[in-house]
Every structure is written in structure tokens, then in C-alpha cells.
Amino acid sequence: MLANYRPLEGVADELMDARGNVRPVWQPFLAEVSRLSPEDLTHATARGSQYLRDAGVYFRHYGPDSEEERDWPLAHLPLLIDSGEWSQISAGLVERADLLERIMADLYGPGALVQQGLIPPDLLTANPEWLRPLVGIRPRSGHFLHMMAFDIGRGPDGKWWVLDDRTQAPSGAGFALETRMATSRSFPGIMARSNVTRLAGFFRAFRDALLALRSDGDSRVTILTPGPMTDTYYEHAYIARYLGFLLVQGEDLVVRDGRLMVHTVGGLQPISVLWRRLDSEWLDPLELREDSQIGTPGLLGALRSGQLTMVNAPGSGVLETRALMAFIPRIARKWLGRDLSLPNIATWWCGAASARSYVRANAARMTIDRALSTNLPFDHGPDVVIAGRHPDGQPLDPDWIDRRAETLAAQEIVSLSTAPALVDGRLEARPMSLRVILGRTAQGWQVMPGGFARIGNSDTSADISMQRGGAVSDVWVVSPVAPPEDTLLTTPSPHHSQPQYAALPVRAADNLFWLGRYSERAQQKIRLLRAYHLRLAENGLADLPLTHHLSEALSVMGVDTGETMPEGLMADLGSAIAGAGRIRDRFSADGWNALTDLQRTAANIGPRLQPGDDCARAMSVLLRKVSGFSGLVHENMYHATGWRFLSLGRAVERAWATTNMLATFTDPDAPEGALDIAIEAGDAIMIHRQRFPSVISRDTVLDLLLLDEANPRSVLTQLGDILRHLDWLDKLATPQGQMTSLRREVLRLQTALAIAVAPEIDPPRLAEISDATASFSGLLADSYLR
């Protein structure tokens, strides 16, 4: 396997030392992998990729003209690091994290760094990440920073350097977990025998640390996300689900009397710890960006009141400023009396005359970019100058630096070390950087024992970014002895509290309700489309009275029967997935897979279909899949508040759709055969034959699909289900003894149908029932979602 491996000239290599020998930490792993046949290796890597697809792991790629969701780009081979070397890296990063905490406290406190000339005042006053409204606000927890990430790389001399400090809302923790899970699927036995340190202990310690920061046992720890359109939304949802925290968006929150509250179906509930995953400037439209649609008015006021801890404190993005790296070494020598053991790459702020002169003289080995940028080292702006040349290839004009001096910072061009990547079954050396994540616990900073490495898609360092085609590798910290077994649940949390069933944000409840409606709506259309194409297959004519009547009914539902896979059906499936995507923290991977598989199946088979029998068979396939999704949700989803809203959506949609279907196909003017379609679409052929073996009539159809409480698809059954769900919700969300308008209307209709007989249900009465069921959505919103 190593026969064709060639490290790049002039850089360090993670697999081989300077003499060309395989490093000891890699030898056992490579020995086992080399024993795999090419087919076994292909199957191993496929298992890892399949896990990520099944789990729905993605990142959002932003291109010049569009954005799209892409599969998580797994580099299947892990990066192995000896535990002794990892301890040295960890100690250096903890030292740096402590220094950044002190810098943050000074920038928003006494300002000694500016007063003593250690930082130019322009780096603050002109910096959009330095937020003046935050000056003087001391964190309730006593710390500004609780989670940090560092991008580090190994230089040609073998030493590690900090490439980037991530303090604003650092990502990577959830992706590191999923990358670890995928790699463990690829090499389960090898990983078990490699003494790889587990990640669960880090997450357990950090979770317990956040729980301990709560002001009282009834308040919550929540994760604030910008929403599904952000590039790291999957991670936000995954971490919330993994740690058991509530995932919220800005619209879910409100500040009352200086306290942050989440708007749930059970009313306002207090939040005392907010782990934010959006940039500071968007947090509060009252004091920061007034055009923010994803923040919460008054959020900074909750911080000032001392009733809220934010992870990390707003304004911490100032520590990510590229130019600040030029001054950190001097600050360390002043405050610590020594250089940092893990320094950052050499950086110069061009606003200083001496630095500007040096940059002009040495531009050929530097990257010159925006001084106040917080982009990653390899995600530069449009005006970046690399190795003395502009993006158009023109040589650098020294006067360009002088004209923009205060706005520019220069950094030494990084020659990253290389790591082995599996390319077409062969090992190739590719540049890599390592993201390491730190969390503050009761014992101080704890370093995640691993993380993930960015692996380039070529031999160029600039190509390690995922947006530019780079991949991600798991990082194994390998110990000489087997590490202890560890899981998130090893130690019962001392902060355990009773379950809070009403802690479902109103936004999430609304999305669950409409997920139920759209999935049921799609099922109803599939049933009627199958009935249409079965009739078409029997007679081959679309203009017969019955097929025409069916086509007209589907047209009213937004379905064009001239399309083999109608856009109206695909739109419902898309709406269901969109709703599920907005509540990924509350939706299982199996449920998500079932739903996306349904949409993929419909999209893939649609272009190949022919009207008639071909389409009818396809609709049967989709019907089984959508029924499987419904059954999966019913059987596996915990029957608490969220499940109630999803089930309410299904029941309301089924009651309304069944009533409209009955109005269409039991109409006295409906063509012959319409009653058969009603029984077929209502999935009641067998039970109708058992109950009414010798006759089918309008009364038998209405009796079975409208009034029969033993039929799981009848309207009366749906009303009973709705009332049972309301029994649960009313205990949480309404004052005792008070009846909601929704319950009143459902009870009224249920009572009327419970005592009704089929001959009494004429077309005007069906229209009244349809109007009543159509009103349930608005009444539900008024009762629980305001």
C-alpha cells in the first residue's frame, strides 16, 4: 500500500518522518489496512459514506450563483496522532485559550491593551466585530469564552502553528462526532484494536458544565441557530439532539423583565444559558444590526440583567480578526513573560510603518488580505495578494499597500504538512490542517481528544477548504494502552430534572403539524392517482366519464393527471421535507431517511413512467413508502408534545381530505364507478365487502368512511384522535377547566356525527363538515401557537 506513496518536497509529512520511515503510531493501522483486499477496502469506505448518507449529514455549499446541500466530504482514512504529542498540542492550546480569555476581558473592560500600546486603537474602533454596546457587561458565569476551536498546521520544521482562532460561534464538534461514527463503520475492528481515545467524555463534561451554569433547575440550556439555511445547521440540530438541549431560533425567544424566555406551546419558559451559533451582530436588532430578522429584541438587556449566560459572549468575534494575530506574541510576552508554546503563523499589520516596510520587501512569501477579516486562512477575499501577485496575475504595486495600509494584514504563506489520503485505492500525500475544539468545564479547559482534519483535494494548500473541494478526516489520538470505555451516559448527571413535556417551541410545533398535514396530503393524492391510472390501464381512455371525473377531482387538488409524476405531488413531498428539515433536532435519522427516500424515489422514477399500469405500479411503490414513513413515526417517535402536533396534522388533513373526497365521489351526479373509487381511496375495500357483502351504495360508503368509529380512516375516528391529542395538550397549555375554541368545534362535530345516520348526510351537509374541518388549523393556531 505504501509502494507509491511519495511525501511532497519541502514539507513535513504525518505518515513518514524525515528519513522516510513510517511513524510508529501509523504502523499497526497500516499493517491491518494493507491486509484488506481492494474489494474489502472499497466496501469499508462505502460503509462510512453510506452511514453519512443514512444519517443525513450534509454541509451547505455556496457557489457564485447558487447554494446547495452536499454530502459530508469524508476522507476515509483517519489521521493518527500519538497521545504524547497530543498532550503537548493540548497544553499549548489551553495556554492560548486562557490568554484569549484575558484579552477578551480587557477589550470589553479596562482597555489596558490599548492604553499600553499593545494593540492599536484602530483595530477596535474600525472593527465591526468589536461591539461597543457590550463594553462593561461582565458575564454572569465569570468567563467570556466557553467553547473555542483552533485550526492548526504543522510547518516544515515539524512544529505545530496556530492558523486561526475561532471564538465567535465555533463549529466542528458535531461534525467531528459524525466523522468519527462514519470512520468507525469503515474500520470497526481496526479502530477497536488501535487504542483510540473516545470523544464522549469531552461532550459529557461540557454538557454538565453548561447545566451547572443555569440559574435554577427550572431554567433551560438552549442552542440558538440562525436556521436551516446556514451552512452548519445540521451540526446545530445534531448537537442539540445528542446533548438533549433545546434548539431554538430568534423568533422563538422573547425577553420579559430582563429574563430570556422561550415561547413554547405550554407558555413562556425561562432560559438561563444560551449557546449561540450565530454571529454576534445578528443577535439583537434593538442594539446591534437593526435589519436582523434572526435575532431577538432585548437580548443584550438580558445579559446586562445578569440573568443570562451566553456561550460565547457576544463580541468575541473580535478575537478572530486576522490583524490581531500580529499582536498576540507581544501581548503574551508582556502578560506571561514568555512566548506562547504554540505560536500563531507570522502576521503583520500594515498600519504600522515598520511592518508595512517589511511586507513590501517580503511580499513574495506572504499573503496580504483584509486586516479586519475573520475568514479562515484559505478563504480569502476578492482583493487578496498571494506571493506578490494580484488575483489577475499582475505583480503587486507597492503603492497599493501604502494606499490601504490600515486595512491590510500580511501573513506568511503556510506550507502545510501532508497526510495520507486514499485516492482511487492508492495513498497520496495531501496538505492538511487540523481543527481542535476546547470546552470549558468545572476543571478548566478540556480538549476534545481528536477533532477533524481538512484534507486537500490536490497538492495545493489552498484547496483544503470544503467549499473548494477539500475533504474531512477523523483524527485518532492513539494511546499506548487501551483507553477506558466511555459514553455520554456513563455518569448520571447531578443536574437531572423531571421531563418538561411542554418545552416545544411554537415554531417547532407548527412545523410538526404541517409535516403531518403534507405527508398525509401526499398520501391522499397518491391513492387517487393510483385509482386514476388503474382505470386508465383498464380502458385506455382518459375521456370516459369516470376517468374524467377523477381527473377533475385531482385537478382541484393541484394535480395534473397529464404528468406521470405530477408537480403537485412533488410539491407536497418537498413541503414535508422542508418542514422536517426545520426540526431536524426532533426528527430521527430513520424518519428523515424514509421521507427523503420517498422524494428521491418519486423524482427518479417519474421521467421513466408511462400512463396507465406503469404509473399505477409506481404509485403503489410510493404508497408503501409513505405508509412506511407514517408507521415509522407512529411507532418510534416518543409520544410527547411534538408527536401530538404531528399526529394532529395527519388527523386534521385526513378528516378534511376524506370529507372532500366523499363529497366528490358520493355526489348524486357522479358517474358510475365513483363509489368504488371512494372505497378504494379510503383503503376500505376488504372491510366493505365484509360489512356490506352484497351491495355498494352511497349510504354504505358514507357509513364506512364518515361515521364508522372502528374504521381507522373514517372522519369520526379522526375527530376522536384529535380530541385525545387535545386532552394531552390542554393539560400543558390551557388553564384548568377552560375549553379552547378548537376543542369546542371538534366536540360539536364529533357529537353530530356520532348520532348521525348515513341517509341524513346530503351534499350540503358534507360541505358543512368540510368547512368545519378546514377551520381546525386556524383554531389550533389560535389555541396553542400564538
Side-chain angles (χ1 to χ4, degrees):
M1 196 170 194
L2 287 172
N4 298 307
Y5 185 77
R6 297 290 183 270
L8 300 181
E9 292 291 334
V11 298
D13 187 73
E14 299 300 319
L15 177 61
M16 292 183 173
D17 61 23
R19 294 184 297 275
N21 298 319
V22 176
R23 299 180 188 273
V25 71
W26 281 91
Q27 292 173 4
F29 175 79
L30 285 181
E32 294 211 45
V33 173
S34 64
R35 288 194 286 268
L36 297 175
S37 68
E39 293 78 13
D40 289 340
L41 185 58
T42 298
H43 291 156
T45 57
R47 286 195 300 270
S49 298
Q50 187 62 51
Y51 167 80
L52 293 172
R53 285 192 293 271
D54 290 345
V57 184
Y58 69 90
F59 80 101
R60 195 172 295 279
H61 173 78
Y62 293 93
D65 304 313
S66 64
E67 54 86 15
E68 60 180 337
E69 291 180 4
R70 290 189 176 179
D71 291 341
W72 186 243
L74 179 66
H76 296 91
L77 284 188
L79 175 69
L80 275 60
I81 299 179
D82 179 78
S83 60
E85 184 175 20
W86 187 259
S87 295
Q88 296 175 11
I89 293 172
S90 299
L93 293 180
V94 167
E95 178 188 50
R96 188 177 184 88
D98 285 334
L99 179 64
L100 291 177
E101 171 72 31
R102 289 183 62 182
I103 293 174
M104 179 77 176
D106 181 76
L107 296 182
Y108 288 97
L113 290 171
V114 173
Q115 295 172 19
Q116 297 172 13
L118 295 174
I119 293 180
D122 289 351
L123 286 189
L124 294 185
T125 57
N127 195 332
E129 297 295 341
W130 185 68
L131 305 179
R132 193 178 298 275
L134 276 300
V135 173
I137 300 180
R138 297 294 302 175
R140 185 173 66 88
S141 67
H143 297 288
F144 288 87
L145 306 175
H146 295 268
M147 174 166 275
M148 299 183 64
F150 296 97
D151 291 310
I152 65 175
R154 195 196 297 271
D157 59 358
K159 296 180 181 178
W160 291 95
W161 295 79
V162 173
L163 308 175
D164 206 49
D165 302 311
R166 309 312 294 176
T167 55
Q168 169 85 269
S171 63
F175 288 131
L177 266 175
E178 286 288 46
T179 302
R180 168 64 55 86
M181 292 295 296
T183 306
S184 69
R185 298 296 177 91
S186 293
F187 308 108
I190 298 176
M191 184 176 179
R193 293 186 292 271
S194 296
N195 297 339
V196 179
T197 307
R198 296 176 178 268
L199 304 181
F202 169 84
F203 286 97
R204 184 181 64 249
F206 187 63
R207 176 202 62 191
D208 291 347
L210 294 187
L211 290 171
L213 290 175
R214 294 181 299 171
S215 57
D216 56 72
D218 292 331
S219 63
R220 288 191 164 270
V221 178
T222 59
I223 299 176
L224 176 61
T225 175
M229 298 310 295
T230 188
D231 55 348
T232 53
Y233 174 72
Y234 171 82
E235 183 187 49
H236 306 168
Y238 178 79
I239 286 291
R241 190 166 61 239
Y242 182 70
L243 297 181
F245 294 154
L246 195 65
L247 186 68
V248 299
Q249 296 181 29
E251 64 185 275
D252 298 326
L253 306 177
V254 65
V255 177
R256 293 285 185 268
D257 299 323
R259 189 161 198 188
L260 185 64
M261 314 289 282
V262 57
H263 190 192
T264 75
V265 296
L268 296 178
Q269 296 191 8
I271 294 172
S272 57
V273 180
L274 186 69
W275 182 358
R276 66 177 179 92
R277 298 303 303 270
L278 73 160
D279 291 349
S280 303
E281 62 178 334
W282 303 99
L283 286 171
D284 188 343
L286 289 182
E287 299 194 54
L288 300 174
R289 285 192 60 146
E290 64 181 15
D291 62 336
S292 173
Q293 300 294 314
I294 55 177
T296 301
L299 196 55
L300 297 193
L303 280 176
R304 289 193 188 91
S305 72
Q307 300 184 74
L308 177 67
T309 294
M310 196 173 293
V311 178
N312 286 331
S316 54
V318 68
L319 299 176
E320 299 182 359
T321 305
R322 180 173 285 117
L324 184 63
M325 277 192 166
F327 303 95
I328 285 180
R330 184 167 57 173
I331 296 171
R333 288 190 290 270
K334 177 70 174 180
W335 281 2
L336 306 180
R338 63 181 185 277
D339 289 327
L340 290 171
S341 59
L342 202 62
N344 53 255
I345 56 175
T347 306
W348 296 265
W349 177 55
C350 295
S354 59
R356 186 164 62 251
S357 176
Y358 184 85
V359 170
R360 282 200 302 264
N362 296 275
R365 59 184 183 87
M366 294 182 179
T367 297
I368 307 172
D369 204 343
R370 296 161 295 171
L372 302 182
S373 171
T374 59
N375 286 348
L376 295 172
F378 307 102
D379 293 333
H380 295 288
D383 298 329
V384 63
V385 172
I386 301 177
R389 292 191 176 275
H390 290 281
D392 60 3
Q394 294 298 313
L396 172 65
D397 177 5
D399 291 339
W400 180 83
I401 297 178
D402 293 332
R403 291 193 302 269
R404 306 180 57 180
E406 291 80 8
T407 68
L408 297 175
Q411 292 182 312
E412 189 174 17
I413 290 178
V414 180
S415 296
L416 294 175
S417 64
T418 56
L422 194 61
V423 181
D424 298 328
R426 299 172 53 184
L427 291 184
E428 293 187 7
R430 295 289 174 84
M432 76 94 193
S433 71
L434 179 61
R435 172 155 291 196
V436 187
I437 298 162
L438 281 67
R440 188 184 294 280
T441 70
Q443 290 73 41
W445 289 108
Q446 183 165 329
V447 181
M448 182 189 295
F452 64 82
R454 288 188 176 91
I455 307 294
N457 69 345
S458 71
D459 59 4
T460 303
S461 296
D463 292 333
I464 69 170
S465 166
M466 288 188 293
Q467 299 290 344
R468 302 185 186 185
V472 174
S473 173
D474 188 18
V475 177
W476 290 4
V477 176
V478 179
S479 302
V481 297
E485 293 288 330
D486 206 353
T487 71
L488 192 68
L489 304 176
T490 297
T491 304
S493 170
H495 310 287
H496 174 76
S497 59
Q498 293 298 315
Q500 296 172 296
Y501 293 117
L504 177 70
V506 165
R507 172 192 50 82
D510 188 49
N511 279 293
L512 284 163
F513 175 78
W514 282 101
L515 169 59
R517 289 208 66 169
Y518 279 118
S519 61
E520 181 65 28
R521 187 171 300 177
Q523 183 177 157
Q524 182 76 2
K525 290 179 180 179
I526 291 169
R527 290 179 180 277
L528 289 174
L529 277 166
R530 184 174 66 171
Y532 172 82
H533 284 286
L534 283 174
R535 270 65 185 179
L536 201 61
E538 290 172 0
N539 53 54
L541 299 174
D543 57 351
L544 293 178
L546 182 58
T547 50
H548 180 73
H549 191 71
L550 247 175
S551 182
E552 290 273 317
L554 283 163
S555 177
V556 171
M557 300 170 68
V559 174
D560 182 359
T561 54
E563 301 171 343
T564 55
M565 190 59 67
E567 286 295 321
L569 173 59
M570 295 301 296
D572 286 339
L573 296 177
S575 295
I577 289 177
R582 289 188 283 268
I583 48 168
R584 286 297 300 274
D585 59 312
R586 296 180 175 274
F587 212 62
S588 71
D590 287 337
W592 176 260
N593 287 336
L595 198 55
T596 54
D597 177 60
L598 172 63
Q599 185 189 47
R600 280 195 303 268
T601 301
N604 291 337
I605 66 177
R608 304 193 303 267
L609 296 177
Q610 295 296 320
D613 184 69
D614 205 18
C615 280
R617 290 176 180 274
M619 293 305 149
S620 293
V621 171
L622 296 184
L623 183 59
R624 289 193 294 271
K625 287 181 177 287
V626 73
S627 299
F629 164 75
S630 299
L632 185 69
V633 168
H634 180 78
E635 293 295 329
N636 292 355
M637 190 173 179
Y638 190 62
H639 288 196
T641 314
W643 178 80
R644 303 285 171 177
F645 275 94
L646 189 148
S647 299
L648 276 169
R650 289 177 57 196
V652 168
E653 181 69 27
R654 184 173 291 182
W656 178 72
T658 300
T659 302
N660 289 336
M661 190 255 309
L662 289 172
T664 299
F665 294 105
T666 66
D667 189 278
D669 295 329
E672 184 179 355
L675 295 178
D676 295 295
I677 290 178
I679 292 295
E680 182 180 325
D683 197 20
I685 295 176
M686 184 180 300
I687 190 63
H688 188 277
R689 288 172 180 169
Q690 292 173 355
R691 288 196 57 199
F692 309 103
S694 60
V695 65
I696 181 172
S697 68
R698 184 176 187 275
D699 287 350
T700 64
V701 171
L702 289 175
D703 185 87
L704 189 57
L705 295 179
L706 183 70
L707 306 177
D708 190 343
E709 200 168 13
N711 179 6
R713 298 191 64 85
S714 77
V715 174
L716 186 57
T717 296
Q718 307 316 307
L719 298 177
D721 289 345
I722 292 171
L723 287 173
R724 281 187 287 275
H725 296 312
L726 296 185
D727 287 341
W728 168 283
L729 294 179
D730 287 350
K731 294 175 184 177
L732 305 173
T734 59
Q736 189 172 5
Q738 180 176 324
M739 182 178 292
T740 64
S741 54
L742 174 60
R743 174 180 285 275
R744 186 176 296 109
E745 290 305 310
V746 176
L747 272 173
R748 181 179 292 122
L749 183 57
Q750 185 204 38
T751 302
L753 293 186
I755 62 175
V757 291
E760 299 174 352
I761 309 296
D762 55 14
R765 180 58 180 141
L766 279 176
E768 292 173 1
I769 296 170
S770 175
D771 291 342
T773 54
S775 72
F776 289 170
S777 286
L779 294 174
L780 181 139
D782 290 341
S783 300
Y784 305 105
L785 304 180
R786 297 178 64 178

